[in-house]
Amino acid sequence: MPTLHLTADEEAMLGGRDGDGVALAMRVIVGQARISDAPRLVEITSSHVDSCLYHGQVSLDFAHRLVDLGARVRVPTTLNVGSTDLIHPDLVRDHELAAAGRELMAAYVELGCTPTFTCAPYQLPHRPALGEHIAWAESNAIVFANSVLGARTDRYGDFLDVCAAITGRAPYAGLQTPEARRGTMVFDCRPLGEFTDLTYPLLGHHIGSVVGAEIPVLLGIPSDVGEDDLKALGAAAASAGGVALFHAIGVTPEAPTSIDGLPVRVVDLETLQRVRRELSTVASELDAVSIGTPHASYAECVQLSELVVGPPLKLPFYLSTARATRERLAENGVLQVLEAAGVTVVVDTCTYITAILSPTWKYVMTNSGKWAHYAPGNINVSAILGSLSECVASARAGHVVLDS
């Protein structure tokens, strides 16, 4: 076991020089560093905190303890989704949970975090660059930062994330190190032929279920793939497994130039058709549609606004996005188009973790592999996975409509 070396500045933080709040946070970071056999700590440039999502009284207790001790974040820190929509509070049916969620979200703002309340901080300005050490929580944010941006973050869970933000340090271990970022298994996706927007969540779910927490290398991803598609792929892979980094040859910045010696798995259309059957309930009945998991980007919202113009939607339609994206949509008139078409825009949270959808609904359609994976267990619905155009067509028809 390597000996953990702390700098004089880190020893001073641990000893209380910067106050009891920093000392508490440093004890957490040092404890994790020793567990992970880190030889030292690394300075981080930003943090994304998932601890602002309410999971019980301990969530509040820890946040309030940090506030009471005078702690403040020392690096730019964004906040993940919370347990309520602060702009549309009437959307949340569980008022007790919403109140606790609101209190927790406020506590993290008091710690100096920026009230972004989005699971997609990579859609915000000032995102980290290639090689930057960061401490991000939220599985889809982690995999996007590591894979698409080439920043370096390990998997940081509740409390560890905010402690990293307060100290500006993280253990130099796991995906913070170059050795741990090497690919371990190749997925040959060339037999898939032409990719559609549904290919990416299906492929991500398949990859995650196969590799677990290993690092996949993808061969055959189109060179002109967009970030929204990579977002969908990574989110599904992180949900079905523990994928925190993937490499797409010719696409992502750290992808290897040689795959010699790595095991290879071939992915074909039959594989993805099987995955779609696994993620979807076979039903024509439909109660609602929910998209935007992870939070929909501005481009995705614009695309939806173009699709919903026309015959009215017969079913409730929910779009989850970041409050910053909503503000931009409002400025450009896109929000008004969406709401006029009957789309309910949800911010600050997501429909698969918060009591927003009606408890009587049984069948909900989504274009998100992550939502389809988690919603059945979280909110007791049967999911139907479809493309964005299939989601709109189904909401318009009042029943499930699939292209194939």
Side-chain angles (χ1 to χ4, degrees):
M1 180 181 297
T3 301
L4 176 65
H5 172 74
L6 299 180
T7 66
D9 188 44
E10 291 161 355
E11 289 281 10
M13 283 194 279
L14 185 63
R17 180 198 64 190
D18 299 336
D20 291 340
V22 174
L24 171 59
M26 184 57 89
R27 288 199 298 273
V28 173
I29 295 298
V30 167
Q32 179 61 37
R34 288 178 172 141
I35 290 171
S36 56
D37 292 339
R40 61 183 176 89
L41 305 182
V42 62
E43 292 190 39
I44 59 169
T45 59
S46 72
S47 184
H48 181 66
V49 170
D50 184 54
S51 306
C52 58
L53 179 63
Y54 182 76
H55 290 298
Q57 186 60 40
V58 65
S59 301
L60 283 169
D61 290 345
F62 191 76
H64 284 317
R65 180 65 172 161
L66 290 172
V67 170
D68 291 343
L69 291 176
R72 297 278 296 182
V73 300
R74 65 177 62 199
V75 296
T77 302
T78 51
L79 290 174
N80 198 39
V81 295
S83 298
T84 190
D85 181 334
L86 296 175
I87 296 178
H88 315 100
D90 292 342
L91 287 177
V92 182
R93 292 182 288 99
D94 188 334
H95 300 299
E96 183 176 345
L97 175 66
R102 189 179 303 109
E103 182 181 349
L104 183 62
M105 294 158 84
Y108 277 94
V109 173
E110 196 169 350
L111 289 170
C113 304
T114 305
T116 50
F117 301 124
T118 180
C119 57
Y122 43 83
Q123 295 175 352
L124 300 169
H126 312 301
R127 59 190 192 175
L130 177 66
E132 279 191 38
H133 292 280
I134 60 176
W136 279 20
E138 161 56 35
S139 63
N140 100 85
I142 292 168
V143 71
F144 192 97
N146 277 321
S147 309
V148 183
L149 303 182
R152 295 187 175 186
T153 180
D154 208 33
R155 303 171 184 87
Y156 299 113
D158 286 7
F159 307 154
L160 189 61
D161 49 11
V162 69
C163 289
I166 290 168
T167 60
R169 302 292 192 280
Y172 186 67
L175 294 174
Q176 297 284 8
T177 68
E179 298 79 15
R181 300 175 69 84
R182 296 170 182 156
T184 58
M185 182 181 296
V186 176
F187 288 81
D188 187 351
C189 307
R190 290 174 295 182
L192 294 175
E194 184 178 355
F195 280 54
T196 69
D197 61 338
L198 195 53
T199 302
Y200 295 95
L202 293 174
L203 178 60
H205 186 88
H206 171 65
I207 289 169
S209 65
V210 171
V211 303
E214 292 188 49
I215 299 174
V217 179
L218 313 183
L219 179 62
I221 300 297
S223 59
D224 60 349
V225 60
E227 286 195 357
D228 286 326
D229 291 324
L230 294 174
K231 173 185 73 171
L233 189 158
S239 302
V243 176
L245 167 64
F246 67 83
H247 300 298
I249 294 177
V251 174
T252 58
E254 294 182 81
T257 55
S258 172
I259 56 175
D260 292 344
L262 295 179
V264 178
R265 286 178 175 257
V266 176
V267 185
D268 55 22
L269 289 174
E270 184 178 347
T271 301
L272 297 195
Q273 288 166 354
R274 174 182 54 79
V275 173
R276 189 177 190 182
R277 290 193 297 270
E278 291 174 356
L279 284 173
S280 298
T281 298
V282 178
S284 60
E285 183 180 349
L286 190 61
D287 294 305
V289 175
S290 180
I291 68 169
T293 304
H295 276 169
S297 68
Y298 178 80
E300 289 175 310
C301 294
V302 170
Q303 183 183 6
L304 175 61
S305 72
E306 295 168 349
L307 290 172
V308 296
V309 172
L313 305 178
K314 295 182 180 179
L315 295 176
F317 199 112
Y318 292 82
L319 166 68
S320 298
T321 191
R323 53 172 49 203
T325 302
R326 180 185 180 276
E327 290 174 7
R328 186 179 172 193
L329 294 171
E331 290 172 359
N332 295 333
V334 180
L335 178 64
Q336 293 83 340
V337 174
L338 291 168
E339 292 180 337
V343 176
T344 299
V345 179
V346 178
V347 298
D348 299 340
T349 189
C350 188
T351 56
Y352 80 92
I353 56 173
T354 303
I356 290 176
L357 305 188
S358 170
T360 63
W361 292 343
K362 297 180 181 179
Y363 302 102
V364 181
M365 194 171 190
T366 184
N367 66 339
S368 164
K370 179 176 183 176
W371 200 97
H373 178 79
Y374 283 126
N378 283 2
I379 60 174
N380 194 30
V381 299
S382 295
I384 297 104
L385 183 64
S387 65
L388 181 60
S389 60
E390 288 173 333
C391 286
V392 174
S394 298
R396 186 165 279 146
H399 58 80
V400 175
V401 176
L402 302 178
D403 296 334
S404 60

